[in-house]
Amino acid sequence: MKISVIGAGYVGVVLSAGLARLGHDIILVDINEEKVKTLNEGKAPFYEKGLDELISEVKDKVKATTDLKEAVKATELTFICVGTPSRKEGYMHIEQIKEACLEIGLTLLRKPEKHYVVIKSTVLPGTSEECIKIISEVSGKKFPSEFSFAMNPEFLREGNAVYDFFNQDRIVIGSTDKEIVEKLREVYKGIESPILETKFRDAEMIKYANNAFLATKISFINEIGNICKKLGVDTNIVAKGIGMDFRINPHFFKSGIGFGGSCFPKDVSALAYKATEKGYAPRLLNAVLDINRDQPMKLLTIMDNKLNGDIKGKNIAILGLAFKADTDDVRESPSLQIIKELLLEQANLHVYDPSAMESVKKIFPHLNYTSTAQEAIDNSEIVLLLTEWPEFTELNYGDKHVIDGKNVFDTDKAHLRSKNYEGICW
Ligand code: UGA
């Protein structure tokens, strides 16, 4: 099938490359000319495990362009994968979605064939209906007879997105039009996943509830972890014990400095904001966010105790900037919150991350960025482990104080720890 994809963020690019591997011809649209050029050279525009290889494998089937109208005109189905940024308090902007729908509507004015539009971006319940209205008003075409629309949320994890694309737990398709559901079944042919058919709002809400539940699971184990720490109990063992109950399961159950990234903080805030707007006080979601906001401070309290509150001028190694391993993404990374706090205390920071240093240099140009993790350790008296990069287990920590905020040295690797090692919740 000929498919256009709007938005070359990690979802749009992974989706394009994955669909091309399934045999489809893709036109990927982005306003950023640099990204378009990189993609047309057969390279990924950002770091994502396995993506460079996949893009170069399918480069003859993926064409990138800045021309949205041409892309829609030349294809049968369009995925909208643009960003939905939100303000600190949770209000979500869907201007880019509306803009894409407007452009699609304008293109459909002069396209006689029926076109299929699918929204992938994370949007609150009610948005699909708004999109249908825009496309319909602008193009003068009727849904579902002259154009069709579906909401098909994505559940890819950054850093595992290529694997996740080909191994999806389920594919959710929300629409009231059977025809687009059949089209999407054809699009995803080759992926062995159950398909759940729903209405628009159900599909939109499934995405939010999914992320909110996972975020809750993390804040839950962090709360238990904070209590364990006070009681001298190892949270990792407790998580293992409760994870053996099949109703709980052991996955996604690691305590640490809290969740970051471009999804959980934004999506939980957006859902809480929407609930409040509708007159419901989302107490659990607010608690999930509160616990998460405080979690990096727990690590700083442990460090404070070790240094007797005397942080000014101390040399501290920061190992890890990315919000998790296998990505260079630092959005909402707890590591950055910790750096800010330490700068306020006038500490000397020696910073290393294998992939995320360039983006952090733009935010904090004056830190001591080291060329190896070992150099950061050697220059410091205390080491903070803030991203779970596996290479951090292979370093020589001597007898330095090491505080682990990410389970770098989990139970399997406990024998590799420095003897002055302490975990945030273990
Ligand atoms: C998350 C979801 O996992 C995806 O299913 C979803 O598609 C995506 O958001 C999205 O909405 O686009 P992602 O943000 O890439 O994916 O990363 P995760 O692997 O979910 O990790 C999120 C944060 O939780 C990270 O900071 C991670 O370190 C933290 N985390 C994760 C924990 O603290 N403990 C855990 O046990 C697992």
Side-chain angles (χ1 to χ4, degrees), residues 154-156 158 207 211 252-254 260 263 324 406:
E154 62 81 18
F155 302 98
L156 307 176
E158 272 187 68
K207 170 66 189 185
N211 273 1
F252 227 77
F253 215 26
K254 282 195 167 155
C263 305
K324 64 174 184 177
K406 277 286 192 164

Side-chain angles (χ1 to χ4, degrees), residues 10-11 122 154-160 164 170 207 210-211 214 218 221-222 251-264 267 323-325 332 334 388 406:
Y10 90 95
V11 175
T122 299
E154 62 81 18
F155 302 98
L156 307 176
R157 294 164 297 170
E158 272 187 68
N160 289 286
D164 285 354
R170 72 324 205 174
K207 170 66 189 185
N210 205 95
N211 273 1
L214 292 172
I218 298 169
I221 200 63
N222 283 339
H251 306 293
F252 227 77
F253 215 26
K254 282 195 167 155
S255 57
I257 45 175
F259 55 79
S262 63
C263 305
F264 287 174
D267 293 350
F323 82 98
K324 64 174 184 177
E332 302 285 329
E388 66 282 26
K406 277 286 192 164

Side-chain angles (χ1 to χ4, degrees), residues 369-394:
Y369 293 95
T370 59
S371 43
T372 63
Q374 193 62 51
E375 192 186 328
I377 297 170
D378 294 344
N379 288 336
S380 306
E381 54 200 276
I382 191 156
V383 181
L384 307 184
L385 298 173
L386 305 181
T387 310
E388 66 282 26
W389 289 106
E391 66 181 73
F392 292 165
T393 58
E394 287 156 17

Side-chain angles (χ1 to χ4, degrees), residues 7-10 12-14 28 30 32 34-40 42-48 51-52 55 64 328:
Y10 90 95
V13 176
V14 173
L28 176 51
D30 202 278
N32 184 323
E34 199 56 43
K35 267 191 185 176
V36 166
K37 187 168 164 268
T38 309
L39 282 157
N40 283 332
K43 290 187 277 196
F46 46 81
Y47 174 74
E48 174 69 38
L51 188 59
D52 253 332
I55 296 264
D328 57 1

